[in-house]
Amino acid sequence: MTQHLDPRSPWVISTHDLGKRPGTMRRVTLTLPAPADLGVDMIGVPKDAEVELDLRFEAVMEGVLVSGTAQAPLAGECARCLDPLTSEIAVDLQELFFYSDEDASEDDSLLDGALLDLEPTFRDAVVLALPLSPVCRDDCTGLCVECGVKLAEAGDDHRHEKIDARWASLQGLVTENDNDQEK
């Protein structure tokens, strides 16, 4: 099945200048807008953020081998304290884009004429590298499970009286008995 790529899409790159001669190579440095919905629940690359790509395109017998690195900003929230956080991610990219589907398997990437789409390769690399539970600091103490206050702001003396649920209904009786004895 031949895919039809939009040559105006920023992530669609032409390999026309490589031809089909194995060994032909070119290096490219690009800045592209990040695609939408690139992330996991707690963190991701903001839509249209600048993605820096340093790539190498090399013609091989089966197609065009793309390898290099991508860097992008991240935005999300800490999984422990829910504070906003920002950082950066750097991922390695490597994908072989086949000339024809005869040489490729079902999951392989194909060229559309001389065009290839880098977005799926970039998306896969970033999503696999993202932390599922990002933290603002390695020593983030998070939120109190009882009241929700930030433990870092509450201090070391933050405590809650713990009453065994099996005895909780008796707590009122003890107080009433204490008042009866005072009379």
Side-chain angles (χ1 to χ4, degrees):
M1 178 175 83
T2 305
Q3 55 187 340
H4 294 289
L5 301 176
D6 180 1
R8 296 169 302 201
S9 170
W11 288 88
V12 173
I13 310 295
S14 174
T15 62
H16 180 72
D17 59 330
L18 287 178
K20 291 188 177 183
R21 293 182 317 278
T24 308
M25 191 221 23
R26 74 174 158 126
R27 292 188 86 69
V28 177
T29 302
L30 300 168
T31 301
L32 299 178
D37 302 320
L38 181 56
V40 292
D41 289 341
M42 302 292 288
I43 195 163
V45 178
K47 181 181 185 311
D48 294 329
E50 288 189 351
V51 177
E52 303 289 332
L53 297 160
D54 184 17
L55 301 171
R56 181 176 130 164
F57 294 86
E58 185 176 359
V60 295
M61 292 294 289
E62 302 86 3
V64 175
L65 177 65
V66 179
S67 56
T69 59
Q71 290 185 317
L74 293 176
E77 57 186 25
C78 177
R80 294 181 188 161
C81 69
L82 303 179
D83 276 351
L85 64 88
T86 58
S87 65
E88 289 207 352
I89 191 167
V91 293
D92 292 325
L93 305 174
Q94 185 165 357
E95 186 77 28
L96 177 59
F97 292 84
F98 286 87
Y99 291 126
S100 72
D101 54 2
E102 295 168 7
D103 297 329
S105 69
E106 186 178 321
D107 295 332
D108 289 332
S109 300
L110 292 174
L111 286 163
D112 180 7
L115 300 177
L116 58 82
D117 186 2
L118 281 176
E119 183 182 332
T121 303
F122 172 69
R123 182 179 294 278
D124 289 349
V126 168
V127 170
L128 290 173
L130 288 174
L132 293 177
S133 297
V135 291
C136 57
R137 299 181 328 269
D138 287 340
D139 63 344
C140 177
T141 52
L143 302 175
C144 174
V145 295
E146 298 287 326
C147 65
V149 71
K150 288 184 187 173
L151 293 174
E153 296 172 1
D156 292 337
D157 59 342
H158 182 78
R159 304 249 189 280
H160 294 277
E161 184 179 336
K162 295 194 179 178
I163 299 171
D164 189 331
R166 296 171 292 183
W167 298 100
S169 61
L170 297 176
Q171 184 179 14
L173 295 175
V174 172
T175 306
E176 290 172 17
N177 286 343
D178 288 343
N179 290 341
D180 288 344
Q181 289 175 359
E182 290 175 9
K183 288 182 184 177

